[in-house]
Amino acid sequence: MSEKFWKFQNAAGGGAELLLYGDISQTSWWGDEVTPKQFAEELAALGDVSEITVRINSGGGDVFAAQTIGNLLEDHKAFVTAKLDGLCASAATVVACHCNKVVAANDNTYMVHPVKVGISGYLEAKQLEVWVEAIKTIRETILDLYVRKTGRDKDEVAGWMDNTSWWTAQQAMENGFVDELADGTRPVTVEDRGGVLFVNSVGMGLPFDKVPEFVRKRVAAKAADLFANKTPTTPPGKAERKDQTMDEIKTVDDLRRAYPGLVDQIEREAAETATAAERERIQDIEEMSIAGSEELAREAKFQKPVSAADFAKAAMKRAAAKGSAYMKDAKDDAVNSGVNDLGQEPPAAGGGKDEFMDAIKGLGVQEK
């Protein structure tokens, strides 16, 4: 199963939230029998909830995943509200259009574009024709969904898609994709990180030079405010609401509800750091292992995990103990063999050098 890109969590008032931040599946759900099944099971596990909020900040992804998620949400008995926290683009709009209501932040960005497919390898003309037909079919299904959501003429909607349309939240509402705007407590932060668009610290996988001018202006305005050492312009009452939000954050759950993207990012980075540290610990233990310490190493790696430094100390102590035991056994063997009781002729008169006795003394055997 591919890595999960969604997250269900409880919400205040007995409802539930579904977080869709970042790519909607990095692998296709076409032919995938495992991942869609897990999503459906988690949705069913929410139980008897009357409201589901789908928080979206995504540049899109796999259309089959988006269609599956959207249809499952639409079939659920709960009232489903899509809240667009930053960017809703490409396949993410498919999920939003399946929801009962779409609410967008005032500075949210919305984007629709033509259906695209990635093909690897070499294909014959007939194979390419199959892909072209697939694209046409997918385009029709998305167009029908958009027309149902917006109530607009199909040709007009097709023109929006085919020309790649970027809209502000207000424009998306005027075109029927958004039902209402919300002056929420989550400001949208747009950044250019290495030529890639980031929204609320989540990578959208979109080249920054391809985003519309009004999006790039937000980044420029933020940079100008920082350069001038000014506080960014705040709408009336916004600062007061922000202070109230900070005052209400008392627990981790409060922080997650207020800043889900930030909390998810912190958790992901913490997990990645912990995984890297664990791999390094195991590798260090393996490199320090010597013959005879296999059992100790296995215990240190998995059964009773310890640091590489502690393993090294334990291994040295065990080696020293084995060395002392070996020397004691050798000495006991020498005593039991009677070699220390062997009689010897006294040295020749005059105290001449006895090379044999000198060699024996060098071995630590005491002369009786």
PDB file of all heavy atoms in Angstrom, residues 262-276:
ATOM      1  N   LEU A 262       0.488  22.914  10.022  1.00  0.00           N
ATOM      2  CA  LEU A 262       1.721  23.060  10.791  1.00  0.00           C
ATOM      3  C   LEU A 262       1.970  21.828  11.649  1.00  0.00           C
ATOM      4  O   LEU A 262       3.088  21.302  11.702  1.00  0.00           O
ATOM      5  CB  LEU A 262       1.629  24.313  11.669  1.00  0.00           C
ATOM      6  CG  LEU A 262       2.818  24.559  12.625  1.00  0.00           C
ATOM      7  CD1 LEU A 262       4.096  24.743  11.832  1.00  0.00           C
ATOM      8  CD2 LEU A 262       2.550  25.769  13.507  1.00  0.00           C
ATOM      9  N   VAL A 263       0.911  21.340  12.315  1.00  0.00           N
ATOM     10  CA  VAL A 263       1.066  20.158  13.171  1.00  0.00           C
ATOM     11  C   VAL A 263       1.452  18.942  12.346  1.00  0.00           C
ATOM     12  O   VAL A 263       2.332  18.162  12.726  1.00  0.00           O
ATOM     13  CB  VAL A 263      -0.235  19.887  13.958  1.00  0.00           C
ATOM     14  CG1 VAL A 263      -0.130  18.576  14.730  1.00  0.00           C
ATOM     15  CG2 VAL A 263      -0.518  21.035  14.916  1.00  0.00           C
ATOM     16  N   ASP A 264       0.817  18.783  11.192  1.00  0.00           N
ATOM     17  CA  ASP A 264       1.161  17.645  10.327  1.00  0.00           C
ATOM     18  C   ASP A 264       2.606  17.726   9.873  1.00  0.00           C
ATOM     19  O   ASP A 264       3.324  16.722   9.818  1.00  0.00           O
ATOM     20  CB  ASP A 264       0.237  17.615   9.110  1.00  0.00           C
ATOM     21  CG  ASP A 264      -1.152  17.103   9.459  1.00  0.00           C
ATOM     22  OD1 ASP A 264      -1.307  16.555  10.563  1.00  0.00           O
ATOM     23  OD2 ASP A 264      -2.066  17.248   8.633  1.00  0.00           O
ATOM     24  N   GLN A 265       3.071  18.925   9.533  1.00  0.00           N
ATOM     25  CA  GLN A 265       4.454  19.093   9.094  1.00  0.00           C
ATOM     26  C   GLN A 265       5.422  18.733  10.217  1.00  0.00           C
ATOM     27  O   GLN A 265       6.426  18.043  10.003  1.00  0.00           O
ATOM     28  CB  GLN A 265       4.688  20.535   8.637  1.00  0.00           C
ATOM     29  CG  GLN A 265       6.131  20.771   8.147  1.00  0.00           C
ATOM     30  CD  GLN A 265       6.380  22.224   7.806  1.00  0.00           C
ATOM     31  OE1 GLN A 265       5.524  23.075   8.000  1.00  0.00           O
ATOM     32  NE2 GLN A 265       7.559  22.514   7.288  1.00  0.00           N
ATOM     33  N   ILE A 266       5.126  19.196  11.437  1.00  0.00           N
ATOM     34  CA  ILE A 266       5.983  18.891  12.580  1.00  0.00           C
ATOM     35  C   ILE A 266       6.036  17.389  12.823  1.00  0.00           C
ATOM     36  O   ILE A 266       7.111  16.813  13.059  1.00  0.00           O
ATOM     37  CB  ILE A 266       5.486  19.628  13.838  1.00  0.00           C
ATOM     38  CG1 ILE A 266       5.659  21.143  13.679  1.00  0.00           C
ATOM     39  CG2 ILE A 266       6.219  19.134  15.090  1.00  0.00           C
ATOM     40  CD1 ILE A 266       5.034  21.954  14.789  1.00  0.00           C
ATOM     41  N   GLU A 267       4.873  16.737  12.742  1.00  0.00           N
ATOM     42  CA  GLU A 267       4.826  15.288  12.974  1.00  0.00           C
ATOM     43  C   GLU A 267       5.596  14.534  11.905  1.00  0.00           C
ATOM     44  O   GLU A 267       6.308  13.574  12.199  1.00  0.00           O
ATOM     45  CB  GLU A 267       3.368  14.820  13.012  1.00  0.00           C
ATOM     46  CG  GLU A 267       2.621  15.275  14.261  1.00  0.00           C
ATOM     47  CD  GLU A 267       1.178  14.811  14.257  1.00  0.00           C
ATOM     48  OE1 GLU A 267       0.683  14.425  13.179  1.00  0.00           O
ATOM     49  OE2 GLU A 267       0.549  14.841  15.335  1.00  0.00           O
ATOM     50  N   ARG A 268       5.453  14.956  10.638  1.00  0.00           N
ATOM     51  CA  ARG A 268       6.183  14.282   9.554  1.00  0.00           C
ATOM     52  C   ARG A 268       7.682  14.436   9.727  1.00  0.00           C
ATOM     53  O   ARG A 268       8.451  13.475   9.583  1.00  0.00           O
ATOM     54  CB  ARG A 268       5.755  14.852   8.190  1.00  0.00           C
ATOM     55  CG  ARG A 268       4.390  14.394   7.710  1.00  0.00           C
ATOM     56  CD  ARG A 268       4.219  14.672   6.226  1.00  0.00           C
ATOM     57  NE  ARG A 268       4.395  16.074   5.902  1.00  0.00           N
ATOM     58  CZ  ARG A 268       3.411  16.954   5.877  1.00  0.00           C
ATOM     59  NH1 ARG A 268       2.188  16.573   6.162  1.00  0.00           N
ATOM     60  NH2 ARG A 268       3.631  18.216   5.568  1.00  0.00           N
ATOM     61  N   GLU A 269       8.137  15.669  10.036  1.00  0.00           N
ATOM     62  CA  GLU A 269       9.566  15.899  10.199  1.00  0.00           C
ATOM     63  C   GLU A 269      10.113  15.143  11.398  1.00  0.00           C
ATOM     64  O   GLU A 269      11.229  14.613  11.358  1.00  0.00           O
ATOM     65  CB  GLU A 269       9.832  17.403  10.342  1.00  0.00           C
ATOM     66  CG  GLU A 269       9.559  18.193   9.061  1.00  0.00           C
ATOM     67  CD  GLU A 269       9.768  19.682   9.235  1.00  0.00           C
ATOM     68  OE1 GLU A 269      10.023  20.113  10.394  1.00  0.00           O
ATOM     69  OE2 GLU A 269       9.678  20.424   8.245  1.00  0.00           O
ATOM     70  N   ALA A 270       9.321  15.068  12.473  1.00  0.00           N
ATOM     71  CA  ALA A 270       9.754  14.320  13.654  1.00  0.00           C
ATOM     72  C   ALA A 270       9.881  12.838  13.340  1.00  0.00           C
ATOM     73  O   ALA A 270      10.836  12.168  13.768  1.00  0.00           O
ATOM     74  CB  ALA A 270       8.775  14.538  14.801  1.00  0.00           C
ATOM     75  N   ALA A 271       8.922  12.312  12.579  1.00  0.00           N
ATOM     76  CA  ALA A 271       8.964  10.887  12.216  1.00  0.00           C
ATOM     77  C   ALA A 271      10.162  10.589  11.321  1.00  0.00           C
ATOM     78  O   ALA A 271      10.843   9.574  11.479  1.00  0.00           O
ATOM     79  CB  ALA A 271       7.662  10.500  11.515  1.00  0.00           C
ATOM     80  N   GLU A 272      10.443  11.488  10.362  1.00  0.00           N
ATOM     81  CA  GLU A 272      11.580  11.289   9.479  1.00  0.00           C
ATOM     82  C   GLU A 272      12.891  11.337  10.256  1.00  0.00           C
ATOM     83  O   GLU A 272      13.803  10.544  10.017  1.00  0.00           O
ATOM     84  CB  GLU A 272      11.576  12.362   8.384  1.00  0.00           C
ATOM     85  CG  GLU A 272      10.432  12.201   7.392  1.00  0.00           C
ATOM     86  CD  GLU A 272      10.310  13.390   6.458  1.00  0.00           C
ATOM     87  OE1 GLU A 272      11.126  14.340   6.604  1.00  0.00           O
ATOM     88  OE2 GLU A 272       9.420  13.377   5.582  1.00  0.00           O
ATOM     89  N   THR A 273      12.985  12.271  11.208  1.00  0.00           N
ATOM     90  CA  THR A 273      14.198  12.383  12.024  1.00  0.00           C
ATOM     91  C   THR A 273      14.391  11.138  12.885  1.00  0.00           C
ATOM     92  O   THR A 273      15.499  10.604  12.995  1.00  0.00           O
ATOM     93  CB  THR A 273      14.115  13.623  12.932  1.00  0.00           C
ATOM     94  OG1 THR A 273      13.971  14.794  12.116  1.00  0.00           O
ATOM     95  CG2 THR A 273      15.373  13.753  13.778  1.00  0.00           C
ATOM     96  N   ALA A 274      13.295  10.655  13.498  1.00  0.00           N
ATOM     97  CA  ALA A 274      13.379   9.463  14.345  1.00  0.00           C
ATOM     98  C   ALA A 274      13.772   8.239  13.535  1.00  0.00           C
ATOM     99  O   ALA A 274      14.585   7.415  13.978  1.00  0.00           O
ATOM    100  CB  ALA A 274      12.038   9.224  15.035  1.00  0.00           C
ATOM    101  N   THR A 275      13.232   8.126  12.326  1.00  0.00           N
ATOM    102  CA  THR A 275      13.566   6.980  11.464  1.00  0.00           C
ATOM    103  C   THR A 275      15.027   7.001  11.074  1.00  0.00           C
ATOM    104  O   THR A 275      15.716   5.968  11.112  1.00  0.00           O
ATOM    105  CB  THR A 275      12.692   7.001  10.203  1.00  0.00           C
ATOM    106  OG1 THR A 275      11.312   6.909  10.586  1.00  0.00           O
ATOM    107  CG2 THR A 275      13.025   5.826   9.294  1.00  0.00           C
ATOM    108  N   ALA A 276      15.540   8.171  10.702  1.00  0.00           N
ATOM    109  CA  ALA A 276      16.947   8.290  10.324  1.00  0.00           C
ATOM    110  C   ALA A 276      17.862   7.961  11.501  1.00  0.00           C
ATOM    111  O   ALA A 276      18.887   7.276  11.340  1.00  0.00           O
ATOM    112  CB  ALA A 276      17.226   9.705   9.810  1.00  0.00           C
TER     113      ALA A 276
END
